[in-house]
């Protein structure tokens, strides 16, 4: 039960961080809206349509989620390696440590594939405009 709660808390924290970066992007739009004169040309030099901004927000949120998921997977691999090295030949502990490493590596591969697929799709959609 404690592991499930820990995983849920980590998952919620990861997505909280991912979506907290969306507000930072909105401040650029607000600054562009209220800027005048020379400031406007500097601040709004890279302004985009709302659809492009939405794509950027989605891409930013997904990349942040993939980043944190990758970090968690690497930490779990390290924990599995530590458990493997401290198992002292106990078959049950060895199997548990090997499973931990295997599942973390599978999770890392899935995250890398998801990153590649979503970035490919978002770039393909952005190219059709």
């Amino acid at each position: 039960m404690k592991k499930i709660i820990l995983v849920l808390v980590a998952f919620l924290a990861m997505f909280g961080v991912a979506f907290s970066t969306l507000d930072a992007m909105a401040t650029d739009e607000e600054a562009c809206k209220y800027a005048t004169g020379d400031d406007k040309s500097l601040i709004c030099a890279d302004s985009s349509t709302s659809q492009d901004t939405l794509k950027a927000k989605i891409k930013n949120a997904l990349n942040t989620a993939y980043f944190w998921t990758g970090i968690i997977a690497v930490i779990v691999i390290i924990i599995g390696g530590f458990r493997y090295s401290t198992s002292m030949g106990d078959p049950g502990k060895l199997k548990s440590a090997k499973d931990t490493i295997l599942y973390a590596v599978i999770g890392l591969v899935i995250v890398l594939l998801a990153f590649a697929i979503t970035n490919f799709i978002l770039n393909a959609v952005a190219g059709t405009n």
Side-chain angles (χ1 to χ4, degrees), residues 18-99:
F19 290 112
S20 68
T21 60
L22 297 179
D23 291 336
M25 295 180 76
T27 57
D28 291 338
E29 291 176 12
E30 292 295 321
C32 180
K33 193 184 300 182
Y34 296 111
T36 59
D38 291 335
D39 291 337
K40 188 167 184 100
S41 64
L42 292 173
I43 294 172
C44 303
D46 191 26
S47 64
S48 58
T49 64
S50 63
Q51 187 177 10
D52 290 339
T53 307
L54 177 63
K55 288 177 190 172
K57 288 179 182 181
I58 291 170
K59 190 172 185 175
N60 187 24
L62 288 173
N63 287 342
T64 305
Y66 296 145
F67 174 77
W68 285 107
T69 307
I71 286 178
I72 291 170
V74 169
I75 290 171
V76 171
I77 291 170
I78 292 169
I79 291 170
F82 180 77
R83 289 175 55 198
Y84 184 83
S85 64
T86 59
S87 65
M88 295 187 288
D90 182 15
K93 289 182 180 180
L94 277 173
K95 182 179 179 347
S96 175
K98 286 180 182 179
D99 288 344

Side-chain angles (χ1 to χ4, degrees), residues 5 7 14 24 26 56 61 66 69-70 100 108 111 120:
I5 292 172
V7 168
M14 175 183 61
Y66 296 145
T69 307
T100 300
L108 191 57
V111 168
F120 175 77

